[in-house]
Amino acid sequence: MPRVIDIPPELAASQEKFNKEAGRAFIAGLPEQSARFIDHWDLRPDGPPMHGVCALVLPVVRADGTPAVLKLQILDEESEGEPVALRAWNGDGAVRLLDHDEPTGTMLLERLDETRMLSHVPDAHQAVLTIAGLLAHLTSFPAPPGMRRLGDIAGGMLDRTPWALARITDPESRRLVADCAAALREVADEPGDRLLHWDLHDENVLASDRAPWLAIDPKPLAGDPGFDLWPALDNRYDPDDILWRFDAMTDILALDRPRAHAWTLARLLQNTLWDIKDGHPVDDAQLEIARRLRPRGR
């Protein structure tokens, strides 16, 4: 089958870094896989490839002339839920799923305007309010059956917390991470059942002709909407803006503030566990977000 794409070297590097042998195999198979789905869905390539950390995105045109994008990515526990969530939202606040190949996770999506990304909006407050409005709508949907569940993720995090704390050498950082685990324990028995995006930052919001802003690239799970606030707190990091952002988002989403506080601190615990597993120090900026929020409990 002829080669129809050039693989962006940045995508190859990120797959090597994060997925090792599986990532190398994925990259090696992309030319054939993309050609197969271009033929299968009767598509015409329509521009240079785009990519994120994990996925290759090819602009295409369907047989009826409709612009679309072909998204190819490794199928894992995060990506396998993406088409399920997109079907549930059905284009209402999120990019529309046009077709999907379940065995490979390959998706055909409506084409949004990649030149108009929320990260290009200079007003950080406006960007946060836009994300909050999208989250309020997206999390109003109940999670479909079979979705990854926040309760399971929370239990796993708490099980690994003693291991992580033993590897944090700075006493103040260790106390802060322990406080985050304590906050999570208070809400873990009521993890929620809403459809969460999990990764709604300002580079995962694009404009389109049919809506001012739409969400892309969910890593969905079923849970409490308070677990969805972290990316907008971390975006365009400004420690003096954290409390404003938290208050604005919890107001727009109509969240119980102590619960949202606990689930937000749980995101620091999640990130800390990943950092320590990968041999990295705990990120100072993320610690500062939790530090600023810590007095905001009950």
Side-chain angles (χ1 to χ4, degrees), residues 158 176-189 258-266 269 294 297-298:
L158 291 173
L176 186 58
V177 174
D179 286 348
C180 292
L184 174 57
R185 286 189 193 96
E186 294 184 6
V187 295
D189 288 342
R259 285 185 60 81
H261 170 264
W263 283 116
T264 300
L265 294 181
L269 179 61
R294 185 167 52 175
R298 296 194 187 108

Side-chain angles (χ1 to χ4, degrees), residues 9-289:
E10 298 86 355
L11 178 62
S14 67
Q15 285 291 339
E16 172 73 29
K17 177 180 178 181
F18 294 112
N19 293 312
K20 305 297 188 293
E21 184 176 346
R24 291 191 291 271
F26 169 70
I27 293 296
L30 274 177
E32 180 178 352
Q33 186 174 344
S34 60
R36 177 160 65 92
F37 282 103
I38 285 171
D39 180 66
H40 177 64
W41 284 327
D42 196 10
L43 307 172
R44 173 171 57 82
D46 189 41
M50 301 175 286
H51 67 92
V53 174
C54 299
L56 181 71
V57 179
L58 301 177
V60 294
V61 176
R62 304 180 83 184
D64 63 2
T66 304
V69 294
L70 182 66
K71 183 175 182 179
L72 304 105
Q73 59 190 344
I74 287 182
L75 189 61
D76 57 24
E77 66 175 2
E78 292 183 352
S79 62
E80 71 180 359
E82 183 173 356
V84 180
L86 293 179
R87 281 200 189 96
W89 289 320
N90 193 28
D92 190 0
V95 64
R96 182 171 283 121
L97 179 68
L98 304 176
D99 214 331
H100 170 232
D101 179 69
E102 188 171 350
T104 64
T106 303
M107 291 181 291
L108 187 66
L109 303 166
E110 73 170 311
R111 194 190 306 181
L112 306 183
D113 188 347
E114 74 279 2
T115 69
R116 291 189 290 154
M117 191 179 290
L118 187 59
S119 60
H120 300 160
V121 172
D123 187 341
H125 281 193
Q126 185 56 52
V128 169
L129 295 175
T130 297
I131 288 173
L134 283 172
L135 285 177
H137 183 70
L138 296 175
T139 60
S140 70
F141 287 71
M147 187 66 65
R148 289 188 306 152
R149 306 201 67 82
L150 179 55
D152 297 332
I153 293 170
M157 289 195 292
L158 291 173
D159 288 343
R160 295 192 302 276
T161 294
W163 168 86
L165 292 176
R167 287 158 176 80
I168 300 174
T169 57
D170 176 65
E172 198 275 336
S173 298
R174 189 164 56 247
R175 283 193 298 272
L176 186 58
V177 174
D179 286 348
C180 292
L184 174 57
R185 286 189 193 96
E186 294 184 6
V187 295
D189 288 342
E190 297 181 71
D193 63 356
R194 300 291 89 189
L195 179 53
L196 308 186
H197 183 288
W198 186 83
D199 195 28
L200 198 59
H201 53 75
D202 61 7
E203 293 186 353
N204 274 345
V205 181
L206 300 181
S208 80
D209 292 336
R210 68 175 179 86
W213 298 108
L214 293 169
I216 65 168
D217 201 23
K219 306 292 188 291
L221 62 154
D224 189 294
F227 200 64
D228 252 354
L229 305 184
W230 182 273
L233 298 174
D234 194 33
N235 255 180
R236 310 190 204 189
Y237 174 68
D238 179 353
D240 294 330
D241 209 32
I242 290 166
L243 295 183
W244 181 91
R245 296 183 190 192
F246 180 80
D247 287 347
M249 296 182 77
T250 51
D251 282 346
I252 290 172
L253 275 80
L255 299 181
D256 176 81
R257 204 159 271 167
R259 285 185 60 81
H261 170 264
W263 283 116
T264 300
L265 294 181
R267 287 294 287 265
L268 172 70
L269 179 61
Q270 185 178 55
N271 293 340
T272 298
L273 290 165
W274 286 337
D275 285 342
I276 294 174
K277 179 183 178 183
D278 292 339
H280 301 147
V282 185
D283 184 81
D284 288 339
Q286 299 201 31
L287 286 172
E288 184 61 21
I289 293 174

